[in-house]
Amino acid sequence: MKTLLLASATALAVTAGASAQDAGNVHFGAGYTFLDFDGIEFDALNLRGGYDFNDYVGVEGEALIGLGDEEVTAAGITGDVSLDYIVGAYAKAQYPVGQGFNLFARAGYAYAEAEASAAGLTLSDSTDGFAYGAGAEWAFNGPNAVRVEYTRYEFEDDAEADSFGASYVRRF
């Protein structure tokens, strides 16, 4: 199911119709994110949308959807841990450094849910907190761009996560 979601989102983004002169302030994107959540590594599909008020300030929202389980051993018990999702909302400051190339920093709030199962028991947990990061976006062909980024999540109860992502972006 998650593979179908990734393929559908990518196909929609690539085939959406807009010419270079129609590229605007609204953007949508999809791609891959690697997360290290307190030493447990997850792969995730990232889906993002946003609006740029001008060349320097924007807002965006994102959803990271976990792609599979990770096996973890604690106190001699082995179980599976999965990232259900992380959703976040961010204010974004950006700076155009060249033709079609922007650097950005963002800060906001994120909420995460995860699930763990071992020895016949399943537990779900959620957390939320401050998130911030930076990255770069390069428009390689009119409204089509690629984006790389790093985001740090500082959740409550001292839970922390680092993510590294790469995605396709389409501007409208």
Side-chain angles (χ1 to χ4, degrees), residues 102-150:
N102 291 327
L103 298 177
F104 65 86
R106 66 186 193 152
Y109 174 83
Y111 174 84
E113 284 197 9
E115 188 172 284
S117 60
L121 296 173
T122 299
L123 301 171
S124 293
D125 197 11
S126 62
T127 188
D128 59 349
F130 185 62
Y132 57 92
E137 183 177 308
W138 173 56
F140 61 89
N141 181 10
N144 302 299
V146 291
R147 171 179 167 144
V148 294
E149 68 193 89
Y150 164 78

Side-chain angles (χ1 to χ4, degrees), residues 47-60:
L47 301 171
R48 182 177 302 106
Y51 181 80
D52 294 334
F53 298 105
N54 56 44
D55 287 343
Y56 304 100
V57 178
V59 293
E60 60 187 25

Side-chain angles (χ1 to χ4, degrees), residues 83 97 102:
L83 172 69
V97 294
N102 291 327

